[in-house]
Amino acid sequence: SSWGEGVPTKSQIRDEVRQIVAEIAEVPVERVSEQATLESLGVDSLGGLKIVVEVEKRYGIEISESEINKIRTMPDIFALVDAHASEV
């Protein structure tokens, strides 16, 4: 695991978030492109919440409800993780 080396790199975060989304969307991770919309992956708002919960646990961050409501795409999730992970 990369935790010993401090903060994960952006590409590691991308890969990990894609894995989380793939699990919750129940699709192969190859289908989760870095530009995908959650809707295109069949993720509803409940699925979106599950993704947020997993991401929060994984990175030890807290994402506010107003931010969660804005999540529509993979780049949205990456941006939130990048913004919050730098505060940890």
Side-chain angles (χ1 to χ4, degrees):
S1 133
S2 61
W3 290 117
E5 298 148 34
V7 179
T9 64
K10 285 199 173 184
S11 69
Q12 280 175 318
I13 289 174
R14 301 282 175 278
D15 289 345
E16 290 169 355
V17 170
R18 286 176 59 225
Q19 292 266 297
I20 290 170
V21 172
E23 279 173 36
I24 289 167
E26 298 179 352
V27 298
V29 75
E30 299 76 45
R31 273 204 47 206
V32 183
S33 78
E34 295 202 358
Q35 297 302 318
T37 65
L38 295 184
E39 193 179 7
S40 72
L41 299 169
V43 175
D44 58 12
S45 54
L46 183 65
L49 273 180
K50 287 183 184 167
I51 291 167
V52 169
V53 168
E54 286 303 312
V55 166
E56 287 180 324
K57 279 198 294 207
R58 181 81 182 81
Y59 300 106
I61 60 179
E62 208 168 295
I63 297 172
S64 72
E65 210 161 305
S66 61
E67 289 174 309
I68 293 169
N69 293 334
K70 292 182 192 140
I71 295 174
R72 300 280 179 274
T73 65
M74 296 300 293
D76 293 345
I77 301 173
F78 298 145
L80 280 177
V81 174
D82 291 343
H84 287 276
S86 61
E87 298 165 7
V88 174

